[in-house]
Amino acid sequence: DECSWRPVRAAGTELYRSQECMFSADDEKYLVRRLAKNEVVLFLGAGFSSDARNALGQPFPLSRQFAESIWMFLGYPDAYDETSLPDMYEALLRSGKPDNQVRPFLEQQLLTSEIPAVYDQLVKPYWYRIYTTNVDDLVRRVYSRNNACPRLEIASFPREELRERDQSLASIQLVLLNGGLPSSPRDITFSVRQYGRRAGDSSPLYQAFVGDYAYYPTVFVGTELNEPLFWQHLEARERRQRDVSEHRPKSFLIAPHISPPKRAHLDALNVVPVEATAADFLKWLESTAHQLPPLEDVLRETLPSVVALFESAGKRGQTIPA
């Protein structure tokens, strides 16, 4: 292995982390190779936004902190009693507070004011698609402030429509699986009853994700892979595909702590556990950016006949039009 590895927990565990790199040499080569072919899916959970600040100038709230903020917003007289976020969000929707009060509260909590520069590394690769369960605007703002990168095409719950990908890669798709702010408080998914209603239906956006995950390497960042709708649609796909052999490519889960039981579960899914933060992953993207090919070389892998057509027409070296 080319990395200098050091254990992150007591002897006897199998997870190691490097001061110089996140992945083994073979896994890094594998990821860079698949990125160069536009074959890597990115899935972002709440932990991905943890280094940004919200409109209040505070670090993005985790589930417990957001639930406590809702408790205080609703004015309960007692101290917060650890009620879960899904229950607190249901209480918010049923509180009778008008949308013109609830929307500013949500936007203060979950829209960004400060985004560290390291997040700009997100735009360096040509992702196959980006999926997120987050309702914040972090990814949209990062792509917006990097004018040289592909533009984003947004697909968002509750309008569950996903168009064909732009094969020219002039745009890439960001899929907001649980909706996105700013929007109506009822158009983002947090509450127990919202999850219950969606569990009774098939979501084209989640179906698209489990389909992509079945065929392309997926990097999960900032999630514990506990999203119930993900598992619902994954199990539904496996029931439908029972007689079809699927060999999922190697994927990766990046999270600060991954327990031994979780690692055993991930192994069955061909997902490699990597104990690291979102910032670590973004710094890894920065360190490997020089290995990623320019757009024309990516298209030579994905659309060789189109590139050959432009080259034969004497347009080699020009930007291939979208």
Side-chain angles (χ1 to χ4, degrees):
D1 200 340
E2 297 173 4
C3 294
S4 174
W5 296 96
R6 60 182 175 84
V8 292
R9 291 201 296 275
T13 64
E14 296 179 357
L15 264 181
Y16 288 82
R17 198 171 157 196
S18 167
Q19 292 177 320
E20 285 77 30
C21 60
M22 293 181 57
F23 303 101
S24 71
D26 286 344
D27 284 346
E28 180 169 300
K29 290 175 183 175
Y30 165 77
L31 266 179
V32 170
R33 184 175 70 251
R34 301 301 291 264
L35 282 168
K37 296 180 179 181
N38 185 225
E39 291 179 346
V40 178
V41 174
L42 184 63
F43 185 103
L44 305 176
F48 182 74
S49 303
S50 60
D51 290 320
R53 290 188 175 269
N54 63 17
L56 298 172
Q58 301 169 348
F60 259 70
L62 299 177
S63 293
R64 183 199 176 280
Q65 296 163 331
F66 186 31
E68 184 174 10
S69 295
I70 296 174
W71 178 283
M72 295 173 64
F73 176 72
L74 294 179
Y76 292 110
D78 301 323
Y80 173 57
D81 66 357
E82 305 296 330
T83 299
S84 70
L85 175 58
D87 284 331
M88 287 307 310
Y89 198 77
E90 185 67 28
L92 178 65
L93 294 180
R94 293 179 171 275
S95 66
K97 288 185 176 291
D99 279 7
N100 62 7
Q101 293 181 23
V102 176
R103 285 184 64 155
F105 164 75
L106 294 176
E107 291 170 9
Q108 287 180 332
Q109 294 287 325
L110 299 174
L111 291 183
T112 54
S113 64
E114 298 177 35
I115 303 174
V118 69
Y119 281 100
D120 292 333
Q121 302 305 318
L122 184 67
V123 311
K124 298 293 179 63
Y126 289 95
W127 304 104
Y128 185 85
R129 278 196 182 101
I130 302 174
Y131 293 88
T132 182
T133 53
N134 300 339
V135 302
D136 63 56
D137 62 343
L138 188 150
V139 176
R140 287 170 279 166
R141 285 194 60 193
V142 167
Y143 271 83
S144 176
R145 77 186 187 186
N146 285 271
N147 296 324
C149 68
R151 66 181 182 275
L152 283 181
E153 177 186 318
I154 310 296
S156 177
F157 176 82
R159 292 169 294 281
E160 300 228 26
E161 300 173 359
L162 190 60
R163 294 166 44 181
E164 289 294 321
R165 295 172 63 248
D166 179 357
Q167 299 297 316
S168 75
L169 300 181
S171 65
I172 63 171
Q173 292 177 334
L174 171 65
V175 182
L176 306 177
L177 293 166
N178 290 338
L181 292 172
S183 67
S184 165
R186 287 163 180 77
D187 285 345
I188 57 176
T189 305
F190 275 120
S191 84
V192 285
R193 296 194 66 176
Q194 287 176 316
Y195 279 114
R197 284 192 293 272
R198 293 189 67 184
D201 299 320
S202 178
S203 164
L205 298 183
Y206 268 98
Q207 282 184 335
F209 169 67
V210 296
D212 286 350
Y213 161 66
Y215 290 105
Y216 298 101
T218 301
V219 180
F220 298 90
V221 186
T223 173
E224 296 182 358
L225 277 188
N226 291 333
E227 290 83 3
L229 296 176
F230 166 68
W231 291 107
Q232 172 201 335
H233 286 84
L234 183 61
E235 291 297 323
R237 179 184 176 84
E238 292 187 344
R239 286 195 301 271
R240 293 193 303 270
Q241 304 288 107
R242 188 166 296 166
D243 298 327
V244 178
S245 178
E246 282 189 349
H247 302 284
R248 292 191 189 114
K250 183 189 296 185
S251 293
F252 301 87
L253 173 65
I254 297 170
H257 173 69
I258 304 171
S259 69
K262 176 68 76 173
R263 296 203 306 272
H265 190 188
L266 295 175
D267 185 61
L269 298 172
N270 200 22
V271 176
V272 176
V274 180
E275 286 205 333
T277 65
D280 292 331
F281 174 65
L282 292 164
K283 290 172 185 175
W284 176 81
L285 288 178
E286 182 178 22
S287 73
T288 57
H290 67 283
Q291 301 181 54
L292 299 178
L295 175 60
E296 185 171 342
D297 289 347
V298 176
L299 293 179
R300 189 172 283 108
E301 288 280 353
T302 59
L303 295 173
S305 60
V306 174
V307 174
L309 177 64
F310 279 98
E311 290 180 345
S312 65
K315 295 187 177 182
R316 185 172 187 174
Q318 295 184 15
T319 301
I320 297 174

